[in-house]
Amino acid sequence: VLPVWDSHLLCEQAGKYPAELNDWERTVVETESAKPGFTYWYRNPQQPGQSSLGIAYEKSGQYGIVRPDFLFFAEQDGSLVVDLVDPHGLHLGDALAKLQGLAMYAASHPDVYRRIESIAQVKANGKLRVLDLKRQEVRNAIAVAQDAEMLFSSALADDYA
């Protein structure tokens, strides 16, 4: 039996969406759902297809696709806005390359999303930290970084709340 969540874009008649989310994903859904103006959310499928947002990244001359975990929709000043939020593990070998791909995507789509954020848990304090990929100085640092965890531990990142 899967847990069910409210306010998903593709819910069933009773308004519930079945999904098994890890700890970070649960925290993100609960946090984003509590923000002012929140309307609904979408769990971006990890498999290729028309229903999945895929963003290209390059690592060692090979291209891959990162599929950010969530899109959150909110009403702001009478308009619908979209936030792309991606909690991602820093232990993965492609963490920096995927972060760089997301940063390039953010630079290419500045007016499509209200927010584009990457979230990770840093080892030093165990906190979830967030990088705002719409900020030019964050994207500049990501472009030249050698280590993703250092970015999330730096002053460029904020505690996720």
Side-chain angles (χ1 to χ4, degrees), residues 107 132-142:
D132 178 352
L133 302 184
K134 291 194 76 171
R135 291 177 43 205
Q136 183 67 49
E137 64 272 19
V138 171
R139 292 193 310 269
N140 291 345
I142 290 169

Side-chain angles (χ1 to χ4, degrees), residues 96 100 141-151:
L96 180 60
Q100 289 169 335
I142 290 169
V144 298
Q146 299 296 312
D147 178 76
E149 182 147 7
M150 289 181 69
L151 290 165

Side-chain angles (χ1 to χ4, degrees), residues 8-125:
H8 191 276
L9 182 62
L10 302 177
C11 63
E12 45 94 79
Q13 282 183 337
K16 303 295 182 185
Y17 177 76
E20 193 157 354
L21 304 176
N22 66 33
D23 289 342
W24 300 350
E25 293 166 339
R26 277 194 303 276
T27 298
V28 167
V29 169
E30 290 166 357
T31 301
E32 296 296 323
S33 298
K35 291 188 177 183
F38 169 79
T39 307
Y40 49 90
W41 62 285
Y42 181 68
R43 175 70 160 110
N44 191 36
Q46 295 303 301
Q47 64 276 7
Q50 290 184 354
S51 62
S52 180
L53 171 63
I55 298 170
Y57 70 93
E58 184 267 332
K59 181 181 179 199
S60 304
Q62 299 292 318
Y63 286 91
I65 302 289
V66 59
R67 298 187 189 284
D69 285 345
F70 300 109
L71 296 169
F72 292 93
F73 300 82
E75 192 170 322
Q76 179 179 305
D77 301 326
S79 296
L80 190 64
V81 293
V82 183
D83 300 325
L84 189 153
V85 181
D86 187 40
H88 192 72
L90 297 175
H91 62 284
L92 303 171
D94 59 0
L96 180 60
K98 287 181 176 179
L99 185 58
Q100 289 169 335
L102 283 171
M104 288 174 43
Y105 181 80
S108 300
H109 298 81
D111 299 325
V112 175
Y113 302 93
R114 176 178 63 173
R115 293 171 27 232
I116 299 178
E117 296 180 343
S118 183
I119 298 170
Q121 185 176 37
V122 295
K123 291 178 194 171
N125 61 15

